[in-house]
Amino acid sequence: MSRPGEHRVVHTLRTQAPARRLYELVARVEDWPAVFEPTVHVQVLERGPGTERFRIWARVGGRVKTWTSRRTLDPDTLRVTFRQELTQPPIASMGGSWEFRGDGDGTEVVLTHDFAAVDEAALPGLREALDANSGKELAALVALAERRQPPEELVFTFEDTLRVPSGDDAYAFIERSDLWQERLPHVRKVTLTEEAAGTGPAETRDMTVQDMTMETVTTDGGTHTTRSIRLCVPARSIVYKQLVPPALLSGHCGAWLFGEDTVTARHTVAIDPARVEEVLGKGATVADARTHLREVLGANSRATLRHAAAAAGPAS
């Protein structure tokens, strides 16, 4: 039930996918950036039996917004309820639920939002953004759940760690991606815009939001263009979300994590099985795609880390 002054919107979608599989995909909030197009990054803050609290960054109306939410997860009724604890204008309050209603003909997914705006004039734009993002999330969720392969075969994470002379210097190298065309042999061109995050929790207010378009040279001499949103926290981390992933993937996000003398490159990918044979050749399987992605994406990250370490100079 909506609170006084709140408005309600409900989005639904039917699917042949089993209700529990859909519930489990929504419950795994860490995978959202690779599964849901609007989500850029999720940081889990607390987790206990049936509850969790997390901070999320997502593209809303073309801009990156952040908020903190608390969720209650009920695997018996297949229901997830949520409420934002820290919102950003024009939202004054936001909550809702995911419900998965299985029957003999499949599952009805029901996504409900109860919300209030700081200004009633902002309601049309807020409704439009909710309609757009909810539609994308429902479509992506159903598409993944309906795949023949289990989601855990299609969505997976891997990482590489390399020692460097200085984590701070490595951060500076990777953060200045606008210079990569001069520093990395496989990068032909980078276009970069950035802005300060400005709002959100105090510990992330020094974060910058980068919009990066990069053209790279492939091993066969061709070119490939990607566009990513990057969230940069000085000397700590750079997380990113590819807005247009490679043909083999339906989603790709990652992170550069900096220690005193180490850098870890992490990737989370969602394979599009319908494109596997097109990209890798007739007879190729999802297992082949996993191996290929681990090798290719890992090699690119390790090459960037080696150049970052070389730029920093020898360890003292």
Side-chain angles (χ1 to χ4, degrees), residues 1-3 5-13 79-80 82-84 91 93-99 101 109-117 122-135 137-138:
M1 181 178 221
S2 298
R3 300 178 182 183
E6 282 191 330
H7 303 265
R8 168 171 286 197
V9 293
V10 180
H11 297 88
T12 65
L13 193 62
R79 192 168 190 266
V80 179
F82 58 87
R83 178 145 303 268
Q84 292 186 12
I91 298 172
S93 66
M94 177 75 75
S97 63
W98 290 88
E99 297 179 72
R101 303 170 181 172
V109 185
V110 181
L111 174 57
T112 302
H113 289 88
D114 300 306
F115 63 95
L123 279 173
L126 188 49
R127 285 181 179 272
E128 182 180 356
L130 275 174
D131 287 343
N133 280 14
S134 296
E137 290 171 356
L138 286 170

Side-chain angles (χ1 to χ4, degrees), residues 19 46 58 64-65 76 91 117 127 168 181 204 229 252:
E46 301 172 17
V64 176
K65 300 284 188 179
D76 295 324
I91 298 172
R127 285 181 179 272
D168 288 349
Q181 61 201 53
T204 63
I229 296 295
H252 177 208

Side-chain angles (χ1 to χ4, degrees), residues 275-296:
R275 305 293 298 276
V276 170
E277 289 193 345
E278 175 188 335
V279 175
L280 299 182
K282 188 172 179 59
T285 65
V286 167
D288 296 326
R290 289 172 64 100
T291 300
H292 172 81
L293 291 163
R294 180 65 180 92
E295 291 175 352
V296 172

Side-chain angles (χ1 to χ4, degrees), residues 58-76:
R59 297 179 77 233
V60 181
R63 299 289 301 277
V64 176
K65 300 284 188 179
T66 185
W67 60 89
T68 302
S69 288
R70 185 175 292 277
R71 300 200 306 174
T72 301
L73 299 96
D74 188 337
D76 295 324

Side-chain angles (χ1 to χ4, degrees), residues 31-78:
D31 289 342
W32 281 15
V35 175
F36 293 147
E37 179 187 330
T39 306
V40 175
H41 179 57
V42 174
Q43 178 187 10
V44 176
L45 303 174
E46 301 172 17
R47 180 165 279 159
T51 64
E52 65 184 4
R53 183 169 170 265
F54 60 85
R55 186 171 298 130
I56 185 170
W57 287 260
R59 297 179 77 233
V60 181
R63 299 289 301 277
V64 176
K65 300 284 188 179
T66 185
W67 60 89
T68 302
S69 288
R70 185 175 292 277
R71 300 200 306 174
T72 301
L73 299 96
D74 188 337
D76 295 324
T77 63
L78 303 182

Side-chain angles (χ1 to χ4, degrees), residues 238-254:
I238 297 173
V239 299
Y240 61 88
K241 162 69 173 275
Q242 281 195 340
L243 302 185
V244 183
L248 190 56
L249 300 176
S250 59
H252 177 208
C253 61

Side-chain angles (χ1 to χ4, degrees), residues 160-174 235-236 256-265 301-316:
D160 293 294
T161 298
L162 188 73
R163 295 188 67 86
V164 294
S166 164
D168 288 349
D169 289 346
Y171 173 90
F173 183 97
I174 293 172
R236 289 172 48 194
W256 303 93
L257 307 172
F258 302 88
E260 183 177 345
D261 60 357
T262 61
V263 185
T264 296
S301 296
R302 291 191 299 271
T304 300
L305 289 176
R306 285 193 293 269
H307 281 84
S316 57

